[in-house]
Amino acid sequence: MKTLQNLNMNMVKPGKPHPLLQQQTQQQTVSPYDANRQVLKLKFMCGKYVLQSDRASLSKNKVDDTCRVCCESPETSQHMVLGCSGLVAIRDPILRDIKSVIEESFPGLWQSYTQQQKVSALIDCTVLYKKHKLSKVE
């Protein structure tokens, strides 16, 4: 399914939570803030987070697909994760750290990725785990 393009299905095992959720489920209590973050993360991973481009296509373009944060481009997952100018202050420091960690372990890897591969790796980092033989701690 196209909606699952950002979910590493190799890491999904029946009866067990995805590795990105295991730490959260092992805690005694989960704050409402963390619970909401988990829901959003799952929606992005499964392609169920409804973006303006989705609303526009479902309404046969009666709804504008422009991002409501920056009002510059169509709101797609690539735009939200990598390109929205309204999210630069939040996204760039985090993205810089992630790129640094990836480049430390695998020089040139980040630059070799397509935009969609970058989005997938950022949404579900377990794609790096299997592909590049990382340990679970890494």
Side-chain angles (χ1 to χ4, degrees):
M1 291 179 64
K2 186 178 183 224
T3 58
L4 297 177
Q5 69 184 3
N6 294 319
L7 177 65
N8 183 5
M9 293 302 291
N10 294 326
M11 300 302 285
V12 176
K13 305 226 184 315
K16 294 200 175 215
H18 190 280
L20 294 176
L21 302 175
Q22 284 178 358
Q23 185 179 13
Q24 291 290 326
T25 57
Q26 291 170 354
Q27 294 177 0
Q28 295 286 332
T29 58
V30 177
S31 73
Y33 176 77
D34 286 337
N36 284 334
R37 286 179 55 209
Q38 247 184 342
V39 169
L40 287 175
K41 178 89 172 161
L42 283 170
K43 284 182 178 184
F44 259 104
M45 288 169 66
C46 297
K48 295 299 179 186
Y49 186 88
V50 182
L51 300 161
Q52 281 302 107
S53 57
D54 299 323
R55 285 185 180 94
S57 66
L58 291 172
S59 71
K60 298 184 172 129
N61 292 319
K62 291 179 184 172
V63 173
D64 186 14
D65 69 350
T66 304
C67 174
R68 291 183 172 183
V69 177
C70 69
C71 301
E72 296 170 358
S73 303
E75 185 182 69
T76 63
S77 60
Q78 279 188 10
H79 173 75
M80 291 293 292
V81 174
L82 295 174
C84 181
S85 61
L87 299 174
V88 168
I90 297 165
R91 177 188 59 240
D92 282 3
I94 297 166
L95 194 55
R96 195 172 22 258
D97 289 345
I98 292 169
K99 282 192 227 177
S100 172
V101 168
I102 292 172
E103 286 297 317
E104 234 175 70
S105 300
F106 309 102
L109 178 67
W110 186 257
Q111 296 307 318
S112 72
Y113 273 7
T114 64
Q115 292 293 88
Q116 184 53 50
Q117 287 173 314
K118 289 176 183 179
V119 169
S120 293
L122 291 169
I123 291 174
D124 183 357
C125 64
T126 62
V127 297
L128 299 169
Y129 167 72
K130 195 115 177 154
K131 185 174 183 177
H132 303 291
K133 298 178 175 64
L134 297 175
S135 71
K136 287 186 179 183
V137 173
E138 290 173 311

